[in-house]
């Protein structure tokens, strides 16, 4: 299941209430995002102990800015509310590694 982040407060709550969070920062105009986002969402079924969420950088610019997102797609892994890792681009091998490392943390 993918959670769509609708506000800065919602993002903060998500990070404070869940131990492991994987975030997909994307945009509707980004072709690479549209290609990899469904695969990211499908990973939520493989890793039920991780909360998967999406932040649209155009809808939530403050969340994206505070997370240090400079390009899309960007994927970030959070453990106990702190960013532990990041992967930029639509490289599925990097994304899989990021999620597996978060899962094993």
């Amino acid at each position: 299941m993918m959670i769509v982040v609708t506000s800065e407060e919602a993002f903060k709550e998500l990070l404070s209430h869940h131990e492991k969070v994987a975030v997909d920062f994307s945009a509707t105009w980004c072709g690479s995002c549209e290609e990899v986002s469904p695969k990211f969402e499908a990973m939520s079924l493989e890793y039920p102990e991780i909360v998967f969420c999406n932040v649209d950088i155009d809808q939530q610019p403050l969340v994206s800015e505070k997370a240090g997102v400079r390009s899309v797609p960007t994927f970030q892994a959070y453990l106990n509310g702190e960013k532990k890792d990041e992967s930029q681009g639509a490289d599925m091998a990097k994304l899989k590694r990021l999620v597996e490392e978060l899962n094993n943390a």
Side-chain angles (χ1 to χ4, degrees):
M1 181 178 108
M2 179 77 79
I3 296 171
V4 176
V5 174
T6 57
S7 69
E8 188 176 359
E9 283 82 35
F11 188 64
K12 288 178 183 177
E13 279 189 38
L14 195 64
L15 295 180
S16 68
H17 287 87
H18 300 281
E19 179 185 9
K20 298 176 181 181
V21 179
V23 187
D24 172 11
F25 290 92
S26 62
T28 56
W29 48 262
C30 168
S32 296
C33 299
E34 295 299 310
E35 179 184 318
V36 76
S37 288
K39 296 173 186 174
F40 177 77
E41 184 171 358
M43 293 173 84
S44 68
L45 300 174
E46 290 180 61
Y47 301 95
E49 56 283 334
I50 299 174
V51 173
F52 286 74
C53 68
N54 173 265
V55 176
D56 183 312
I57 64 162
D58 294 322
Q59 298 294 319
Q60 300 303 322
L62 288 177
V63 174
S64 304
E65 183 180 312
K66 288 184 177 183
V69 174
R70 294 188 186 97
S71 65
V72 289
T74 293
F75 300 93
Q76 294 182 346
Y78 288 82
L79 182 63
N80 297 316
E82 292 189 32
K83 184 168 73 171
K84 293 296 178 187
D85 202 358
E86 178 176 282
S87 174
Q88 295 179 342
D91 185 325
M92 283 306 298
K94 284 183 184 178
L95 176 56
K96 183 83 169 168
R97 187 169 45 250
L98 178 132
V99 171
E100 286 178 353
E101 288 176 5
L102 179 59
N103 186 59
N104 296 328

